[in-house]
Amino acid sequence: MNILIVLTSHDTLGNTGRKTGFWLEELAAPYYAFKQAGAQLTLASPKGGQPPLDPKSNEPAFQTDDTRRFESDPEATQALANTVPLDSVSHQAFDAVFYPGGHGPLWDLAESQDSIRLIESTLAAGKPVALVCHAPGVLRHAKNADGRPLVAGKKVTGFTNSEEAAVELTDVVPFLVEDELIKHGGLFSKLADWQPYVVQDGLLITGQNPASSALAAETLGHFLKAAQSS
């Protein structure tokens, strides 16, 4: 299995003067789930190189066994420091694509033509795409071959309005993930705030929040194994 992990390059949290980026748990937990499944991983970001880490995701309250393992893992940190530019990758080299969240993707990946192209071409080739937490928001401009929104009529989830309100960023983010997915016809469902929740609709897998990242990765891994054995 060859899996592409797409990270944000955006590090500014609106006009707050604070930093953002990707959420560490949403990279670390899937990273090790994929590694355990024997996958070969490639990390990419719009600008390439070291993606910005949301500093809040590295605070003690949000650290996990996986995040601590990742930060002390030379191979993992080396891969993170040397992400390939997103415009240099193609779905043809990979069996699946995974998007960790964090607030950063709402600014850059959601508007990136390279990201939109990657998502559309991966799904069109019959390969799965999984996105967790804020990352489902990057589907906002993706379309099907018929020009309709990619999420129209599809079961999806993502970071909820109430979760965004809980972190007091409702008025900072460029859009709310839940509202945006519903606006484009997504069949949005959710559990209570911060509960692990993953939805799969065909080739599209979405997770609600950081706690859903390992489950989203496992769901993707099971899907790939089933596809390979069929």
Side-chain angles (χ1 to χ4, degrees):
M1 289 188 293
N2 289 300
I3 299 176
L4 177 66
I5 298 177
V6 181
L7 296 151
T8 182
S9 292
H10 184 86
D11 69 352
T12 304
L13 191 59
N15 58 5
T16 63
R18 288 146 55 193
K19 292 297 185 182
T20 189
F22 73 91
W23 196 262
L24 183 55
E25 181 184 3
E26 296 169 30
L27 169 62
Y31 181 91
Y32 289 113
F34 295 147
K35 283 285 189 181
Q36 186 172 346
Q40 297 293 315
L41 304 179
T42 299
L43 276 57
S45 63
K47 294 181 180 178
Q50 177 78 49
L53 172 68
D54 186 322
K56 194 168 185 65
S57 73
N58 204 22
E59 292 178 357
F62 300 111
Q63 289 177 353
T64 66
D65 288 344
D66 284 327
T67 65
R68 287 185 284 269
R69 179 183 176 189
F70 190 95
E71 294 214 291
S72 62
D73 181 340
E75 181 182 342
T77 54
Q78 179 76 1
L80 182 62
N82 294 280
T83 68
V84 300
L86 187 56
D87 64 4
S88 71
V89 299
S90 164
H91 74 87
Q92 295 171 332
F94 303 99
D95 299 301
V97 180
F98 187 91
Y99 280 74
H103 284 90
L106 299 185
W107 277 273
D108 64 350
L109 291 171
E111 306 302 325
S112 165
Q113 291 302 312
D114 293 316
S115 177
I116 294 166
R117 168 189 55 79
L118 176 67
I119 291 168
E120 293 175 345
S121 62
T122 300
L123 294 171
K127 300 174 183 179
V129 175
L131 315 95
V132 69
C133 198
H134 285 89
V138 310
L139 299 169
R140 68 186 306 212
H141 297 310
K143 291 183 168 53
N144 292 308
D146 62 6
R148 295 174 65 242
L150 182 67
V151 300
K154 287 191 174 68
K155 298 172 186 175
V156 290
T157 191
F159 204 62
T160 65
N161 291 354
S162 56
E163 287 168 327
E164 202 68 80
V167 298
E168 301 181 341
L169 292 173
T170 301
D171 297 326
V172 173
V173 293
F175 61 90
L176 295 171
V177 174
E178 178 179 346
D179 284 355
E180 195 70 6
L181 292 173
I182 293 171
K183 171 184 166 184
H184 288 93
L187 306 178
F188 192 92
S189 61
K190 58 189 175 182
L191 294 186
D193 291 359
W194 318 119
Q195 297 302 304
Y197 184 57
V198 169
V199 173
Q200 180 173 359
D201 191 326
L203 297 169
L204 187 63
I205 298 167
T206 48
Q208 180 175 324
N209 47 35
S212 310
S213 54
L215 181 58
E218 290 164 12
T219 303
L220 178 59
H222 292 325
F223 181 88
L224 288 172
K225 285 186 176 179
Q228 287 179 342
S229 62
S230 63

